[in-house]
Amino acid sequence: MNLSMYAEYAVWLNYENNADAFRHFYNKGVRYVDMNDDTMESLPLHLYCKQIREGGIIPGALVTILNIASFDKKEREMNIAVVKGYIDQMEKLDVPILMPAPTIGAAKNADEYKEMQNLLIEALTEVAEYAKGSGVKVVIENQSSLLRPDSKIDDLRYILEAVPELGFVLDSGNFFCIGEDVLKAYESLKDRMVRCHCKDWAFNPYGMYIRENMPRFEGVAIGDGVLPLDEMFKKFRDDNFDGGVVLEINARKLTLDMLERSIEFLREEMRV
């Protein structure tokens, strides 16, 4: 296993030079970072990668939120074209993983849900086919809404079987949001898993409603919440999982202490 985090967490430290921020976390044990495409306008991908590498860290993945499964054909085609452009750049920059996380919204009924699922499979097939031979692996992550077709275990299995080239990113916190067991999800989907987005939740009366008929929760330092992460990592170790583990915290107020305690927890669980 290798330890990763989102690039914006490092940049958030407000170092004068972003490379110094990445170097700070390299010295804590982080070896890879995942980038989000919503920063690409202010910082093009090649410059992002340059700063990351100057800090001693390796660009691990690019996450794009472009809606490649839009009901609007023109929007869908435009977004797929942009994603293909990212693949071209990633091949040249040696960034190995692309994760489309389309903002497809919530289905209003069963027919719309099925149409959304079909459009998603169609788009992912096109993107994964385009990526063949580029050195870029296209992956999907489980989302956190019962009203979209890329959240539940069975739906994810259906998509992965429909698009054999796809890899899977397990998000520990998102399964909790829809009431599914992350340990069961891992067992069902581990044969396609290449990465884990590791987050944790704890009760907070002023936090978010992340699931119906449940108290409010807040994103906390990894290991401080209610998720069965010790059991999850034991399964990873027992199965010799050798992919990336990405630190992710959905907190209203993120602190350096939360990040560094999360890194310590993950390094201990990963035995690195």
Side-chain angles (χ1 to χ4, degrees):
M1 288 182 274
N2 56 71
L3 179 57
S4 182
M5 66 187 295
Y6 279 107
E8 58 262 36
Y9 293 168
V11 175
W12 164 81
L13 290 177
N14 292 322
Y15 278 85
E16 185 173 337
N17 184 331
N18 283 341
D20 291 337
F22 292 120
R23 191 170 296 110
H24 173 92
F25 286 105
Y26 174 85
N27 291 334
K28 297 292 182 180
V30 176
R31 293 295 177 263
Y32 293 81
V33 297
D34 285 10
M35 302 166 284
N36 284 303
D37 71 337
D38 57 4
T39 63
M40 293 296 104
E41 289 185 9
S42 59
L43 190 63
L45 185 59
H46 71 283
L47 293 180
Y48 219 154
C49 290
K50 182 175 183 289
Q51 292 181 355
I52 290 166
R53 289 191 167 103
E54 286 175 351
I57 295 181
I58 301 169
L62 175 63
V63 178
T64 170
I65 61 172
L66 295 166
N67 189 0
I68 61 173
S70 171
F71 290 132
D72 183 282
K73 183 180 179 184
K74 185 175 180 180
E75 179 187 5
R76 185 168 69 248
E77 291 176 345
M78 179 183 67
N79 288 335
I80 290 174
V82 173
V83 170
K84 289 179 178 178
Y86 282 144
I87 292 171
D88 293 340
Q89 294 180 66
M90 293 168 68
E91 180 179 10
K92 295 175 183 177
L93 295 167
D94 196 26
V95 181
I97 295 174
L98 172 69
M99 192 184 91
T103 52
I104 58 178
K108 297 181 179 64
N109 53 53
D111 288 341
E112 191 169 283
Y113 190 94
K114 186 62 179 178
E115 182 181 2
M116 194 182 288
Q117 184 179 63
N118 290 337
L119 287 172
L120 186 58
I121 288 172
E122 182 180 306
L124 288 169
T125 298
E126 184 173 348
V127 171
E129 285 288 334
Y130 186 83
K132 277 186 177 180
S134 68
V136 177
K137 179 75 172 177
V138 180
V139 301
I140 57 167
E141 174 187 52
N142 56 294
Q143 299 299 324
S144 57
S145 169
L146 290 171
L147 299 177
R148 53 182 289 169
D150 52 355
S151 296
K152 293 181 284 188
I153 296 170
D154 289 345
D155 284 343
L156 291 158
R157 189 80 243 173
Y158 183 82
I159 292 170
L160 290 166
E161 290 176 357
V163 191
E165 297 83 9
L166 275 181
F168 174 62
V169 177
L170 183 151
D171 187 298
S172 59
N174 286 354
F175 277 121
F176 180 82
C177 293
I178 64 167
E180 291 201 316
D181 184 341
V182 66
L183 302 179
K184 178 182 176 183
Y186 170 71
E187 291 297 337
S188 176
L189 301 165
K190 65 182 179 181
D191 61 312
R192 303 288 290 276
M193 181 176 161
V194 297
R195 257 168 133 61
C196 171
H197 283 181
C198 191
K199 62 168 69 102
D200 210 350
W201 299 107
F203 170 73
N204 185 324
Y206 304 104
M208 300 179 289
Y209 285 115
I210 63 171
R211 196 162 101 198
E212 291 184 4
N213 302 318
M214 285 195 69
R216 290 174 180 248
F217 281 82
E218 178 77 10
V220 293
I222 311 303
D224 284 359
V226 300
L227 296 184
L229 299 181
D230 288 341
E231 296 174 70
M232 184 181 79
F233 276 99
K234 183 179 186 306
K235 288 180 176 290
F236 290 178
R237 295 192 302 269
D238 289 346
D239 291 338
N240 296 313
F241 171 63
D242 63 354
V245 175
V246 186
L247 185 164
E248 183 176 359
I249 302 176
N250 292 146
R252 288 174 300 163
K253 185 176 180 180
L254 187 63
T255 67
L256 181 59
D257 175 67
M258 291 171 69
L259 288 169
E260 294 188 344
R261 286 193 294 111
S262 296
I263 291 170
E264 290 176 9
F265 175 87
L266 291 173
R267 291 189 68 186
E268 173 63 26
E269 291 289 349
M270 296 163 63
R271 306 295 192 258
V272 298

